Amino acid sequence: MIKMKIKQISIFLENKKGRLWKALDTLAKGKINIRALSIADTSDFGILRIIVQSPDKAIELLEKNNFIVKTKKIIGIELDDTPGGLSSVLKILNDNDINLEYIYAFTHEKSEKAILLLQVDNLDLLIKTLKENNIIIVPSKEVYNL
C-alpha cells in the first residue's frame, strides 16, 4: 500500500542568535538533506517545520542535541505552478468545509509543477476529498526522495 501521509518534523527554537543555524548544522553534520521547510515565529520562539529524507534519524539527532521536536503527519499534493493553481485547490477545500491549519509549498525538477504540503485536523477526510476531485497526492516516499 502506498503511504500518503508524510512525517513532518517541528523543531521548537528559542528566538536566540544561532539557534536556527545550530538546528540546521546538526542535520547537516548528520548528512540529512532537507526537502522542504517553513518557519513561523513569535517574539519568544520559532517553529521550524521540515521534511527530510530520513525523519527518524533526524529526530534522533535533534533530540540528542537538546532540541524539542514533535512530529505530525501531513499530506503533499502536486499542483500546476501557474496562476490559480493554489486557488483551485483551496476552493475544493472550502467547498468541502475543510479548514487548513497551515500550508507551505516548494517546486522541484518537474517543470510547471509544485508540491503543496497541507495540514488539517482530519487527514483521512482530506485524502478522500482530494482523490474525489482528481488532485494528485504525492506519496510520502516520493517527497522524501525528491
Side-chain angles (χ1 to χ4, degrees):
M1 182 174 163
I2 297 174
K3 292 184 180 182
M4 299 293 167
K5 296 176 184 175
I6 300 162
K7 188 183 280 189
Q8 172 192 262
I9 301 169
S10 295
I11 308 161
F12 296 88
L13 303 171
E14 303 91 349
N15 272 352
K16 293 181 183 173
K17 181 181 176 189
R19 280 308 275 171
L20 176 60
W21 167 79
K22 180 67 176 161
L24 297 179
D25 189 56
T26 297
L27 295 172
K29 286 178 179 171
K31 302 203 181 318
I32 302 218
N33 200 13
I34 298 170
R35 295 296 175 221
L37 69 82
S38 170
I39 192 161
D41 70 333
T42 67
S43 60
D44 297 326
F45 67 93
I47 300 173
L48 174 64
R49 295 181 175 112
I50 59 173
I51 306 299
V52 298
Q53 275 182 317
S54 305
D56 295 330
K57 181 180 175 187
I59 292 163
E60 182 182 329
L61 277 171
L62 290 162
E63 288 178 340
K64 192 164 122 179
N65 284 275
N66 300 315
F67 287 96
I68 298 170
V69 178
K70 302 271 185 213
T71 61
K72 189 170 236 183
K73 298 289 185 172
I74 62 173
I75 297 297
I77 63 169
E78 187 175 87
L79 61 113
D80 292 331
D81 188 19
T82 57
L86 176 57
S87 178
S88 63
V89 171
L90 295 179
K91 180 176 182 345
I92 291 167
L93 300 183
N94 187 62
D95 290 349
N96 287 277
D97 294 320
I98 297 174
N99 187 42
L100 286 172
E101 291 181 18
Y102 56 83
I103 61 173
Y104 53 108
F106 63 99
T107 58
H108 58 104
E109 73 275 355
K110 287 186 183 178
S111 63
E112 301 174 8
K113 296 290 182 185
I115 298 210
L116 181 66
L117 302 169
L118 305 102
Q119 171 54 40
V120 300
D121 64 354
N122 186 338
L123 286 180
D124 294 327
L125 175 61
L126 176 62
I127 292 169
K128 178 180 176 285
T129 302
L130 293 171
K131 285 181 177 180
E132 287 172 352
N133 286 276
N134 300 313
I135 303 294
I136 297 169
I137 302 172
V138 183
S140 59
K141 187 175 182 178
E142 187 176 325
V143 173
Y144 297 145
N145 292 311
L146 285 173

